[in-house]
Amino acid sequence: MSLVIRKPIVTCFHCGEDVITEGITSNDKHFCCTGCKTVYEIINKNQMCEYYDLSASPGINQQTKIREGKFDFLDDAPIIDKLVHFKDQTYYHVTFYLPQMHCMSCIWILEHLHKLNAGISSSTVNFIKKEVTLIYKHSQTTLKEVAKTLTRIGYEPHISLNDINTTKIKKYDRSRIIKLGIAGFCFGNIMMLSFPDYFSLGTLENPELKHWFNYLNLILSLPVFFYAASEFFISGYKGLKQGFLNIDAPIALAILITFLRSVYEIGSASGVGYLDSMSGIVFFMLIGRYFQNRTHQRISFDRDYTSYFPLGVSVIHPDGNETQISVADLKVGHRIKIHNDEIIPADSILFLGKATIDYSFVSGESLAVEKSIGEIIYAGGKQTSGAIELEVLKEVSQSYLTQLWNNAAFKTKKEVVTVSFIHRISRYFTYALFSVALLAASYWFIYDASKIWNTITSVLIVACPCALLLSATFTNGNMIRILNKYKLYVKNAAVIERMAAIDTVVFDKTGTITEQGKSDIIFCGEDLTPLQQQFIRSLANQSKHPLSKSIVSFLPFSPSLPVKAYKEWKGFGVEGFINTVSIKMGSAEFILGSKSPKVNVGSTVYISINGACVGYFLINTKYRNGLAEIVMQLKKQVQVKILSGDNDSEAAYLKTIFGRDTEMHFNQKPEDKLRYIQQLQKQHRVLMIGDGLNDAGALMQSDVGIAISDDTNNFSPACDAVLSGKNFNLLNELICYCQKEKLIIYASFALSIAYNFIGLYFAVMGDLKPVIAAILMPISSISIILLTTGLSSLFEFKLKKSKV
């Protein structure tokens, strides 16, 4: 029998969540909790209710209360100095990351913070990065009060240890934008100054005017040659220095030959040169590279454990007073207090309280672990059952998690030994180009030696591999844009090429193929009356065990009744009396004794009322939608494996999805995962898909590492790409889409070869006019842009169908 939960029809005016507890109202508006009501009253008091007009229920749920003193560490001068990126005698400038930001109403209220805190002079929102930059008067308010102001309205700033270890404001590299602007400006003006020569077929009525136009073109070409095109020369030189001919080397040669020949022709008054073609191709190639190298700004692909750790922690002094200090200042022997849902920053021993530690992000274990006083609790775990006191055993830099992360294998970026097929093609193309030039030179050496120089330079000008570079950059740029659209954010274009070549996919389990914090629950047994449901829920509320929490969430809401004679038998279950009724819940052995039946899938919690077993809850891990279909599709083209830090309790069920022939490894430590990937790579190209710190080494080592994140703004480990959990069902289609990259590039390259044949005809004949090059260059470039955009969008059609 499955219980049906009746959903309330009233929603919170502030956040839009269902209202379960009645009676929380203000101005005839209903709220789901007192926190949302308080935020509304603050906004209403300051006459800022326009916030609610921009979006329906735009607020953030406030059911989790922010404890007093949480931001006391922001009174510490050294921490302030590291967080503030500018200060003078009057103002401090600080930037906070706000993962809760999601709509226009958020932007509106964040840009009106000065109405809530008079010390804040201005606030500027970067919605893409989910950041707000604040300027405040330190004589009127403090950094702590600024953080509390944000928190009171539902935008608690995410402040991590990483924020004081790195520069808060990174200067954006505008050099390519500047180069692009210069190349575009010069190209347009050179083309304009060349029009009279084109239209007059080289015979202007005023020769003096032609002379000045040519020199103006030469002056305009100088910043293009020496600055805008510099990256091609630098990259080509570095490649040759290492004994490798990359695509930039022949491009740099073509630019050099075009410039030198143009300088010679203009200086000797023998021609007008090809400066328009040179500046144009540099301009289009820079556009392509800028388009390709754009990375989704709000995704960080190189995070480490410091982004996961809090910045401040409560330290208990011998006199009993609590103060907040930076995590980096923790010392061995410090007594610290960790509150509910806070991260443990250093290896410690439990001194006081009941610890239920969630290690899912660190070890992959799906169920929280209960710890007793005197046991060691490792850094990275999250406390889930109230406040506890710990004594630090190791400093943060010496903790197990930190040492693991600092392992050379975890820190070293993967070396991509496979040379891109673009460079291989360009190498053969260059050899063919030189062969054509030599053959043409040999021919003219016999018949007309005066045309040798003109022929060689013309061939190198008209047939440089610029078209191949344009094909690659615009194809990759379009594909990155489309992948972003389907919430697969890749680090760079090389990831697409490597993903197309994978032959083995390795899945983590917890949080990757399962939905974090969700379970499928059914009750098997007698129909439970509403009163029995209330009794069971009241007893389960007394326990902090994850299975008890799941049952509380599953049963319909009802006020908790007092439980008398409550006892908890560790590893077995709990019992107590409610209104003289005996209630027990726990394992089959605890409830039934020797009559324990075997259940192959999921976890069971049996229920006894007044000594009689009325049934049991079957709690299964909730796997992501479409998992079985994804696995079936993937196994048609690649090998599929499971590598999990969780236990093997659901191995039998996973065999029904992945097949009995699928290799599965459970109880794997982070270093075990890393070694396994290294072994696989001896014979395979591996795609690793994970979600937690325990997957970081494997993600970094694999040929392609994808981190699954149900919220791409939350922490994800270092990786090559981040895939939103909502689009997990598109995994196979996204991989197939990446495999189309080569086909699109080959098609656009074939088109450019057709244009090259036309240009080569004039070049080998020694009769390449500037007007011919000026016509072929933009037509070829624009055709390639249109073809790559069209094919990329065409292959997107299957993705659209799958999403629907």
Side-chain angles (χ1 to χ4, degrees):
M1 183 199 79
S2 299
L3 291 176
V4 178
I5 301 177
R6 186 176 59 191
K7 294 184 178 180
I9 58 173
V10 179
T11 58
C12 178
F13 178 75
H14 177 71
C15 71
E17 296 287 333
D18 292 340
V19 174
I20 298 175
T21 305
E22 297 181 0
I24 305 177
T25 60
S26 179
N27 294 339
D28 296 326
K29 296 174 175 60
H30 296 270
F31 300 92
C32 64
C33 62
T34 55
C36 286
K37 176 185 173 183
T38 301
V39 173
Y40 164 76
E41 289 173 344
I42 292 172
I43 294 172
N44 185 48
K45 180 181 178 181
N46 289 274
Q47 299 180 351
M48 298 171 65
C49 283
E50 184 182 343
Y51 170 67
Y52 296 104
D53 297 333
L54 298 174
S55 302
S57 303
I60 312 300
N61 186 282
Q62 299 291 307
Q63 290 188 19
T64 303
K65 294 183 179 180
I66 306 301
R67 61 177 176 82
E68 189 66 30
K70 183 169 185 176
F71 295 110
D72 285 351
F73 65 91
L74 293 179
D75 286 332
D76 189 14
I79 291 179
I80 295 174
D81 289 338
K82 290 178 180 179
L83 289 176
V84 169
H85 51 82
F86 174 82
K87 62 180 179 179
D88 58 23
Q89 294 180 348
T90 307
Y91 297 103
Y92 279 11
H93 296 207
V94 66
T95 298
F96 284 132
Y97 172 56
L98 308 178
Q100 309 89 342
M101 199 187 306
H102 67 284
C103 67
M104 288 297 296
S105 293
C106 299
I107 298 174
W108 186 87
I109 195 168
L110 290 171
E111 290 186 343
H112 289 78
L113 289 175
H114 59 278
K115 293 185 177 181
L116 301 177
N117 186 330
I120 298 175
S121 299
S122 69
S123 50
T124 305
V125 174
N126 185 327
F127 185 72
I128 297 297
K129 292 185 176 182
K130 296 189 179 290
E131 290 179 344
V132 59
T133 299
L134 302 165
I135 301 176
Y136 68 94
K137 296 179 180 179
H138 54 81
S139 60
Q140 294 185 18
T141 190
T142 64
L143 187 59
K144 173 183 171 181
E145 287 301 318
V146 170
K148 288 172 71 174
T149 298
L150 288 166
T151 303
R152 277 195 293 267
I153 59 172
Y155 298 93
E156 180 183 352
H158 176 79
I159 309 172
S160 68
L161 184 58
N162 184 58
D163 292 324
I164 64 170
N165 291 338
T166 58
T167 303
K168 185 64 183 175
I169 299 298
K170 295 181 179 179
K171 291 185 178 179
Y172 179 70
D173 183 11
R174 294 184 173 86
S175 60
R176 181 161 287 167
I177 301 277
I178 296 172
K179 289 178 181 178
L180 189 57
I182 290 173
F185 172 80
C186 294
F187 167 56
N189 282 279
I190 291 172
M191 285 288 289
M192 182 181 67
L193 292 172
S194 301
F195 279 156
D197 189 67
Y198 296 157
F199 295 141
S200 65
L201 299 179
T203 56
L204 287 175
E205 293 182 3
N206 188 345
E208 190 69 23
L209 189 62
K210 176 182 177 180
H211 177 76
W212 281 108
F213 279 2
N214 289 343
Y215 275 99
L216 280 174
N217 284 344
L218 180 58
I219 293 171
L220 286 169
S221 71
L222 294 177
V224 177
F225 179 77
F226 288 104
Y227 179 65
S230 60
E231 62 182 73
F232 301 105
F233 290 98
I234 294 170
S235 174
Y237 171 74
K238 288 181 178 179
L240 293 173
K241 193 176 180 181
Q242 296 175 0
F244 172 65
L245 181 65
N246 60 27
I247 193 172
D248 287 339
I251 288 175
L253 177 63
I255 294 172
L256 178 63
I257 294 295
T258 306
F259 180 74
L260 292 178
R261 176 168 170 174
S262 300
V263 171
Y264 170 77
E265 289 189 2
I266 293 172
S268 63
S270 59
V272 297
Y274 302 88
L275 296 175
D276 49 355
S277 298
M278 182 204 75
S279 57
I281 201 63
V282 170
F283 175 61
F284 281 110
M285 287 190 298
L286 287 175
I287 289 177
R289 285 206 165 164
Y290 173 75
F291 189 42
Q292 172 188 270
N293 294 335
R294 286 186 310 164
T295 303
H296 204 270
Q297 293 184 40
R298 68 188 174 122
I299 305 294
S300 176
F301 296 95
D302 299 304
R303 291 163 166 164
D304 62 13
Y305 71 95
T306 59
S307 300
Y308 183 57
F309 276 14
L311 176 56
V313 64
S314 298
V315 173
I316 303 174
H317 298 285
D319 59 5
N321 292 325
E322 289 185 33
T323 58
Q324 286 271 332
I325 68 168
S326 170
V327 166
D329 295 331
L330 275 180
K331 303 296 181 185
V332 175
H334 270 165
R335 181 78 60 80
I336 61 176
K337 190 171 187 177
I338 302 297
H339 298 80
N340 191 52
D341 280 339
E342 289 187 347
I343 305 297
I344 294 156
D347 294 351
S348 309
I349 188 169
L350 181 60
F351 190 81
L352 183 66
K354 182 178 179 180
T356 307
I357 309 299
D358 178 5
Y359 280 118
S360 60
F361 199 73
V362 177
S363 68
E365 178 64 44
S366 59
L367 294 178
V369 180
E370 294 184 359
K371 294 288 186 178
S372 302
I373 291 175
E375 288 190 79
I376 294 176
I377 300 177
Y378 293 102
K382 180 189 286 187
Q383 165 64 355
T384 62
S385 57
I388 56 175
E389 293 184 16
L390 307 168
E391 186 171 305
V392 176
L393 294 179
K394 295 181 180 179
E395 295 180 15
V396 174
S397 60
Q398 301 299 317
S399 295
Y400 165 73
L401 180 63
T402 309
Q403 291 180 347
L404 176 66
W405 194 275
N406 289 335
N407 182 300
F410 281 63
K411 293 181 70 177
T412 305
K413 297 183 183 296
K414 61 168 73 76
E415 294 183 9
V416 183
V417 295
T418 305
V419 178
S420 171
F421 77 97
I422 299 294
H423 296 301
R424 292 198 300 270
I425 294 175
S426 71
R427 187 183 308 162
Y428 298 132
F429 182 88
T430 303
Y431 296 153
L433 180 62
F434 279 119
S435 299
V436 170
L438 289 173
L439 287 172
S442 301
Y443 174 83
W444 289 114
F445 178 77
I446 299 171
Y447 294 100
D448 187 355
S450 64
K451 289 189 175 183
I452 293 177
W453 166 249
N454 187 34
T455 300
I456 292 175
T457 54
S458 296
V459 169
L460 295 176
I461 289 171
V462 79
C464 83
C466 305
L468 179 59
L469 180 62
L470 284 175
S471 302
T473 53
F474 277 97
T475 296
N476 290 328
N478 273 299
M479 295 189 79
I480 289 173
R481 174 182 61 83
I482 290 170
L483 291 173
N484 284 355
K485 181 178 174 181
Y486 292 92
K487 301 189 184 301
L488 175 61
Y489 307 104
V490 297
K491 188 175 184 179
N492 51 47
V495 174
I496 297 176
E497 186 177 338
R498 297 202 304 271
M499 195 182 302
I502 59 105
D503 58 24
T504 303
V505 178
V506 180
F507 287 99
D508 172 49
K509 174 178 170 281
T510 305
T512 301
I513 60 176
T514 67
E515 294 195 25
Q516 197 68 268
K518 295 184 180 179
S519 301
D520 284 326
I521 306 176
I522 59 173
F523 182 78
C524 304
E526 303 174 5
D527 289 341
L528 295 175
T529 66
L531 183 60
Q532 288 176 325
Q533 293 176 22
Q534 186 179 17
F535 284 174
I536 295 169
R537 195 175 189 278
S538 298
L539 181 65
N541 250 329
Q542 303 298 312
S543 171
K544 295 299 182 181
H545 193 280
L547 295 180
S548 297
K549 290 182 176 180
S550 297
I551 292 173
V552 170
S553 299
F554 173 70
L555 290 171
F557 173 81
S558 58
S560 291
L561 300 174
V563 180
K564 298 179 180 178
Y566 173 80
K567 290 183 180 180
E568 185 165 343
W569 306 92
K570 189 173 182 179
F572 292 97
V574 296
E575 62 178 326
F577 286 87
I578 302 176
N579 297 339
T580 71
V581 177
S582 172
I583 308 291
K584 294 176 68 175
M585 57 189 297
S587 65
E589 183 180 357
F590 181 61
I591 302 297
L592 303 175
S594 59
K595 299 178 182 179
S596 175
K598 293 184 178 179
V599 178
N600 294 324
V601 181
S603 303
T604 55
V605 178
Y606 283 79
I607 306 297
S608 168
I609 298 179
N610 282 333
C613 179
V614 296
Y616 62 88
F617 289 95
L618 180 59
I619 305 172
N620 292 321
T621 301
K622 184 174 178 57
Y623 288 89
R624 293 192 183 273
N625 292 332
L627 177 62
E629 184 179 353
I630 291 170
V631 172
M632 181 180 68
Q633 293 172 343
L634 285 174
K635 292 187 76 172
K636 293 177 181 178
Q637 52 183 335
V638 298
Q639 296 183 39
V640 177
K641 304 177 187 297
I642 289 182
L643 192 63
S644 174
D646 201 1
N647 58 62
D648 62 355
S649 61
E650 298 193 4
Y653 177 70
L654 287 172
K655 289 285 185 183
T656 65
I657 297 177
F658 285 81
R660 297 196 172 277
D661 59 331
T662 300
E663 190 177 331
M664 298 183 182
H665 299 273
F666 297 94
N667 299 306
Q668 298 292 294
K669 295 179 180 178
E671 55 267 36
D672 297 330
K673 292 187 174 186
L674 174 62
R675 284 193 292 267
Y676 181 78
I677 297 296
Q678 289 172 333
Q679 284 297 116
L680 271 182
Q681 287 180 307
K682 293 179 179 179
Q683 296 180 333
H684 301 282
R685 293 184 178 180
V686 182
L687 166 62
M688 173 69 193
I689 305 177
D691 78 307
L693 283 174
N694 63 314
D695 302 313
L699 289 169
M700 197 173 292
Q701 175 62 38
S702 59
D703 296 279
V704 179
I706 298 180
I708 301 293
S709 178
D710 291 303
D711 184 349
T712 51
N713 298 303
N714 288 345
F715 180 88
S716 57
C719 56
D720 297 303
V722 176
L723 174 63
S724 170
K726 296 176 182 177
N727 281 18
F728 179 79
N729 63 310
L730 296 178
L731 178 63
N732 183 67
E733 285 74 18
L734 290 168
I735 293 174
C736 290
Y737 183 71
C738 291
Q739 292 170 345
K740 305 297 183 184
E741 179 204 31
K742 278 189 179 181
L743 179 60
I744 298 174
I745 291 176
Y746 284 143
S748 56
F749 187 47
L751 176 65
S752 69
I753 289 293
Y755 286 107
N756 276 345
F757 278 134
I758 299 173
L760 280 172
Y761 169 78
F762 292 99
V764 298
M765 295 299 291
D767 194 29
L768 180 67
K769 303 294 184 183
V771 67
I772 296 174
I775 292 171
L776 287 176
M777 181 275 300
I779 291 178
S780 174
S781 300
I782 293 171
S783 299
I784 288 170
I785 293 171
L786 293 176
L787 181 65
T788 55
T789 304
L791 289 177
S792 300
S793 300
L794 178 66
F795 290 127
E796 183 196 0
F797 181 70
K798 189 175 181 181
L799 275 173
K800 286 183 178 178
K801 286 179 63 178
S802 302
K803 189 173 184 181
V804 173

